[in-house]
Amino acid sequence: MPRRSVADALKTRESIVGRARDVASVDGLEGVTIGRLAGDLGMSKAGVIGHFGSKTELQLAALAAAGEIFTREVFGPGQALPAGRGRVLAICDAWVAHVTRPAFPGGCFFTAASFEFDGRPGPVHDEIRRGIRRWRRVLAREIGAAVEAGELDRALDPEQAAFELYAVVMGVNQEVQLFGDRRGGRERGRRAMRRVLGAA
Amino acid sequence: MPRRSVADALKTRESIVGRARDVASVDGLEGVTIGRLAGDLGMSKAGVIGHFGSKTELQLAALAAAGEIFTREVFGPGQALPAGRGRVLAICDAWVAHVTRPAFPGGCFFTAASFEFDGRPGPVHDEIRRGIRRWRRVLAREIGAAVEAGELDRALDPEQAAFELYAVVMGVNQEVQLFGDRRGGRERGRRAMRRVLGAA
DNA sequence: CCTACCGATCGGTAGG
DNA sequence: CCTACCGATCGGTAGG
């Protein structure tokens, strides 16, 4: 019998990814250093990096983990509602709640990652870009469905509106993270989003 | 006679600050390492850091230099116009032009710095926060003046509008830097800003 | 999963 | 403004 089962190894791997995701949300994906994770988790550096092979692979794993949380928390709740205005507003509210929640110390993972990696080519950059583009498309599609259903102003351009909603979230993020104003961020964000959608 | 005059030393200092500002706009303020600047400028590390004493002081100098450029390029042009709607729109257009200009490889310095330092306490964080807050106040004041003059909708809340304009610029920055779409960013940005101001 | 190690780079200093 | 150096940390590897 091996000293560690496959299941144990997987659990260790998940604890590393979880910690990497949390560290990255505060200090950025470059703040995820192998030595720091090892110290935080009481492991050796070799034990940490052995699960991934390279720091880049570790960053990609943290990115994927953050993406799963985002999808579940922001996109998920609206799926209980039929496509249309109600679902779009549910997504917006869940999104603002996500970036203003008290237990999310570092703010929006993808927004921070976007600014951190926008000038650095490589697989992490590409994956961030892909994730954000995918989300913008989902948003535009949901907005388009609501317009089609006659539940949002027909003059609304879904892609422009998706762009503007994402911009608002970046503003909310700054309000929370830089200025420490969670309530102000939430209120300004919700107000701005409703104005974007013409749904005040 | 000293080998280097005071004027020469000042010129050297300015070349260091200029390079630091450019490096930071691409790779962030933490990308400004003493060794890298020394290599870029053909100097020794001691020669670089001697002008500032610490990396933090160098970062603050780069921040101040970026602030001067921002004020000149974004706030400056509008000052030729009387306070009011025209000046607000001039500021908005200059701002979008600033973050979408081809010769600004790293995008908006302050937006990137805001995300980079929002979780790191210290003098650099404080200075970024102060600079952004000041700009938000200037924006709100200009919008307020235009509302007072009856040139913008009286229902407009100047502080909310300033928040939203800043958010739009972050979106433009992402469009340019992450997606490489300068023209799309400019068009979406100008359109969004006019909608924020109710001045389509 | 560990110990022990590699070369490179970090911010910064001593001394000139 | 330089050379020469400091201790710390970086990502990563060898060998077990």
Side-chain angles (χ1 to χ4, degrees):
Chain A
M1 259 186 90
R3 292 236 303 278
R4 291 263 173 174
S5 70
V6 173
D8 278 348
L10 219 154
K11 248 164 82 170
T12 301
R13 194 195 137 98
E14 278 173 8
S15 76
I16 297 169
V17 172
R19 183 70 198 145
R21 187 197 60 218
D22 291 346
V23 167
S25 91
V26 176
D27 291 324
L29 277 163
E30 283 305 324
V32 179
T33 69
I34 300 162
R36 176 177 178 180
L37 289 184
D40 289 356
L41 298 166
M43 295 173 63
S44 68
K45 282 173 35 174
V48 168
I49 201 62
H51 285 273
F52 306 93
S54 71
K55 183 181 177 178
T56 297
E57 290 300 321
L58 206 174
Q59 289 174 321
L60 290 172
L63 207 50
E68 279 171 33
I69 292 181
F70 183 88
T71 300
R72 181 165 16 124
E73 287 201 6
V74 177
F75 182 64
Q79 296 313 102
L81 281 64
R85 193 187 107 112
R87 187 192 278 178
V88 171
L89 289 176
I91 289 172
C92 286
D93 289 348
W95 200 3
V96 170
H98 178 71
V99 302
T100 60
R101 67 179 174 170
F104 201 25
C108 178
F109 194 100
F110 282 91
T111 299
S114 165
F115 282 97
E116 186 179 3
F117 275 85
D118 64 12
R120 304 185 204 181
V124 177
H125 168 279
D126 295 348
E127 198 52 39
I128 292 165
R129 185 175 149 140
R130 192 157 24 236
I132 292 179
R133 176 160 284 170
R134 197 186 307 129
W135 177 240
R136 284 264 296 265
R137 283 215 197 94
V138 169
L139 269 180
R141 193 191 62 204
E142 296 290 351
I143 294 165
V147 170
E148 289 289 313
E151 296 176 11
L152 285 178
D153 189 343
R154 217 178 336 209
L156 207 62
D157 172 346
E159 292 187 6
Q160 174 78 17
F163 164 84
E164 294 187 20
L165 290 180
Y166 205 112
V168 168
V169 169
M170 295 191 225
V172 172
N173 200 74
Q174 184 175 79
E175 217 68 5
V176 174
Q177 299 299 321
L178 187 66
F179 295 121
D181 187 2
R182 202 160 10 238
R183 208 176 70 180
R186 187 160 46 233
E187 285 170 9
R188 290 210 185 286
R190 290 172 55 104
R191 199 168 146 195
M193 283 176 150
R194 272 154 182 75
R195 235 189 17 71
V196 166
L197 297 169
Chain B
M1 259 186 93
R3 293 238 301 278
R4 292 260 173 177
S5 68
V6 173
D8 279 349
L10 220 154
K11 248 163 83 172
T12 301
R13 194 195 138 99
E14 276 172 11
S15 75
I16 298 168
V17 171
R19 183 70 198 146
R21 188 198 56 218
D22 291 346
V23 167
S25 91
V26 176
D27 292 324
L29 277 162
E30 282 305 326
V32 179
T33 68
I34 299 162
R36 177 176 178 181
L37 289 185
D40 289 354
L41 298 167
M43 295 173 62
S44 67
K45 284 172 35 174
V48 169
I49 201 62
H51 284 274
F52 305 93
S54 72
K55 183 181 178 179
T56 298
E57 290 301 321
L58 206 174
Q59 288 174 322
L60 290 172
L63 206 51
E68 277 171 35
I69 291 182
F70 183 88
T71 300
R72 183 167 17 134
E73 288 201 6
V74 178
F75 182 65
Q79 296 314 102
L81 282 62
R85 194 188 107 112
R87 185 191 282 179
V88 171
L89 288 176
I91 289 171
C92 286
D93 290 349
W95 200 2
V96 170
H98 177 72
V99 302
T100 60
R101 65 177 175 173
F104 201 26
C108 178
F109 194 100
F110 283 91
T111 299
S114 165
F115 282 96
E116 186 179 3
F117 275 85
D118 64 11
R120 304 184 204 179
V124 178
H125 169 279
D126 295 347
E127 197 53 37
I128 292 165
R129 183 174 149 141
R130 191 159 23 236
I132 293 181
R133 176 160 286 169
R134 197 185 309 130
W135 178 240
R136 283 264 296 267
R137 283 216 197 94
V138 168
L139 270 179
R141 193 192 62 203
E142 296 291 350
I143 294 166
V147 171
E148 290 286 314
E151 297 175 10
L152 287 176
D153 189 344
R154 217 175 341 206
L156 206 63
D157 173 346
E159 292 187 6
Q160 173 78 16
F163 163 84
E164 294 187 20
L165 290 180
Y166 205 112
V168 168
V169 169
M170 296 193 224
V172 173
N173 199 75
Q174 184 175 77
E175 217 68 4
V176 175
Q177 298 300 320
L178 186 66
F179 295 121
D181 187 1
R182 203 160 11 234
R183 208 175 70 180
R186 188 162 43 232
E187 285 169 10
R188 290 209 185 288
R190 290 171 56 103
R191 197 167 147 196
M193 284 177 150
R194 272 155 180 75
R195 238 190 16 69
V196 166
L197 296 170

